[in-house]
Structures are given as structure tokens and as C-alpha cells.
Amino acid sequence: MNTHYSPLQERLKKEEEENKRKANRKGGNKGGYFVSALAGVIAGALIMWLLLPSLVGQLPSSSAASDGNNKIQTSIDQTATEVTTDITKAVEKVSDAVVGITNIQEVTDFWNQQSMEQEAGSGSGVIYKVEGDKAFVITNYHVVENAKQLEVTLADGTKEKASLVGSDIWTDLAVVSISSEHVDTVAEFGDSDVLKQGETVIAIGNPLGLDFYGSVTTGVISGKDRAVPVDLNADGYEDWETEVLQTDAAINPGNSGGALINIAGDLIGINSMKIAESTIEGLGFAIPINTVIPIIEELERNGEVRRPTMGIGLLDLTDVPAFYQQQTLQLPEEVTTGVVVSEVVQGSPAYRAGVKQYDVVIEMDGVKIENSIDLRQHLYNETEIGDTIQMKVYRQGKIVELNLKLTEGTNV
């Protein structure tokens, strides 16, 4: 049977069929999208499962680190290397023989006018001998000067009361003694005469006090047979020339009395002084051990160094104004150096030899005398008690020769 539709019905039927076809296409696309997404997720998960073990060692972590063999490290590696050199061996050999010395003096309290004892300074010293229950320590004269009490601090911190055995201002040396109960190390003497310029040396001491106990500095022998003028009585005039070793090893206040050793650990000098100026660097001095030994031996025996005396006061001619050189001393113009006798002690060797006030000493035993340092060094280094010396002096413009027999004394 044929069914006939009107034009309107035909158009509505076509629109209905078209809408059905569109609905069917949308349902098929949604299913395809779901299947594709599901397949992508599965594939991604599979890839991560395969790669994850190889990525573990490469992932950053705050609590562990991995090395190339996938072994996790939990601490920092540290290498302990004990270094031993000739210098460390030398220091180890001697350092326990170097001590601290504290100078305790009696002072008066300004407000209460009461006497009290307090630390006046500190320096260093070197234990060089043990004899029975005593140990002997070398130090500098200026370290122990004017001390009411002395205290020695050993390397292990033990403090010992010390007694002054003897001291000598001219060589800046002193010897103190302590109990040997806690002493384990004694320094060995070397030979300062065989030192070479440029040879390595080591200074051990307590710079700036006991807070820096046992400090070690190194350097070389910068010079031998140096003569350094010193003012012993702080009057502004040089009284003496000390023969010293020069080194660039750092020597500071508090190092005084400490050890200067060679690379073998032998004691070759006693650190004594340092030129401390802002424009000078690396200029330290030590008393040669060959000079030290006879002095400390005499200090042990006598408590002092016994020297010959003349019994005169000294004044360098260069310190006398030209007017007095011409009028009072009546010296020829060509005489420009010598030592003026400022006073003669009654009953002294000079008094008995006929030395007069205002005599000008120009020669002793054939050696030219230009100043008071020359005179003292000839007297103390070249003569002995009981010797007779020959002197040439200018007196009222004329040369007079005198013979003077030396006796023991503490002054010139």
C-alpha cells in the first residue's frame, strides 16, 4: 500500500530521521574516547613501573646521598694523616723543657697604704739540668728583676715555687731552681759557634704571657756575632753591647728567656730581646749558648758573676761640650774620642794607681778606647781579677801612662 504524505509531513519525517542518525554517531564517539584514554593510562603506568628502579638513585633526598654504586652514604669522609717533620721532631724533643716564669713583686696600695704582692710580668725559661731534688732553669735577668717571689709553670700546667740562684745584668742572664719532682725533660746544649747563616732555627716560649704558653715560631739565622747596644739602667745612655744571634723567627714580649733551638732540637740560644718598632719586621735576638754556659756555671757557684773593678765613674768624651774639652780637659783638637773619668772612688784600684778626676782614658793594654762600652768590654771580657792593666790617659793636655791592678767588684 502506498502512503502519500503532504509536503509538511515529508519535511518533519526527514528531520526526525536526521536527528536519530546524529544521536547514534555521538554514542559511538564517547565509547571511542573512553577506550583510548584507558589505554593511555595503562601504558603510562607500565612505563613508570619499568623505569622506577633505575631512577631511585638519582632522586634528590634530604637524608641520604648515593654514590656511583647505588650505595647510600650517611656521613662525610675524613682522613686523619699524622704529619711528622724535622721541625715537629725538634719541638717534641725540647718543648716540655720550656717553662713559664711569673715575676711577683711587692707593691703599695695607694689608698690603704698597705703592701701587697701581685704579678708584675711573665717570661720564659729553659730547664737545662736536674741535680738531686732540684732542677735548674735559665732565663733572662730582666724576667726576674726586682722579684719578691718567682713562680714556674711547667708544660703540664703544674706550678712550682722558684728560688733565684743568681743573676747578671750585663749579660741579661739568670738561673732559678725548682723542685725536680715533676720535671721529665731537660734541654740539651748545642754549639752556637758552628751555626751557619741561613740555618733553620725554632723559637719556643710564651709570647704575651702564659695564655700563649709554648708557642712555636720558625725562621733562620739571619746573622752571627751581632753587637746590640743596650741601656741597662734606663738613663737614656747605652751602657753595654750585647753579643747576640740575629734571627727572623718571631720573638715577642714574653718570649724572653725561652729557647732557640736548631733542627736537631739542641739548645743554641736564649731568646733575649726584640727591636719592636712599626717599621721593623722579623728582627729578633738570642744570646748564643756558648756565651751562656760559662755565665750560668758561675751563677750556680757564686750567685753572681765576679768581675774586676777599677773604681771610677765613666763619661763618654763625645757627650762633653767642645768648650769643656778645650778649657777644662785641655785636650788637643785631634782627640775626639775617649772616656772621661768623672770620679775616682777612694781606696779603689784606680785611686791607688794614681788615676785623677778628668783624666781621659784613650788606651788600655794597647787597645784603643773610644767610649765607655769599649772600656767595659775590655775590662770584663779580656781581663781577670788580679791582672795589672796598662792605661794611657790625657791629663792636662799630656799623655800619662799608668799601671792599675784589678780587684773584685760589681762596678767599673
Side-chain angles (χ1 to χ4, degrees), residues 265-288:
D266 298 328
L267 185 66
I268 48 90
I270 298 297
N271 301 326
S272 182
M273 63 189 108
K274 176 182 170 68
I275 294 180
E277 296 182 15
S278 59
T279 57
I280 295 178
E281 183 69 28
L283 196 58
F285 299 100
I287 306 169

Side-chain angles (χ1 to χ4, degrees), residues 309-322:
T309 186
M310 297 171 63
I312 60 175
L314 307 179
L315 177 65
D316 286 351
L317 182 60
T318 53
D319 294 329
V320 178

Side-chain angles (χ1 to χ4, degrees), residues 240-272:
W240 185 251
E241 281 190 344
T242 302
E243 295 182 5
V244 292
L245 299 170
Q246 179 190 337
T247 178
D248 65 345
I251 297 175
N252 295 285
N255 272 118
S256 291
L260 188 71
I261 63 175
N262 61 16
I263 203 70
D266 298 328
L267 185 66
I268 48 90
I270 298 297
N271 301 326
S272 182

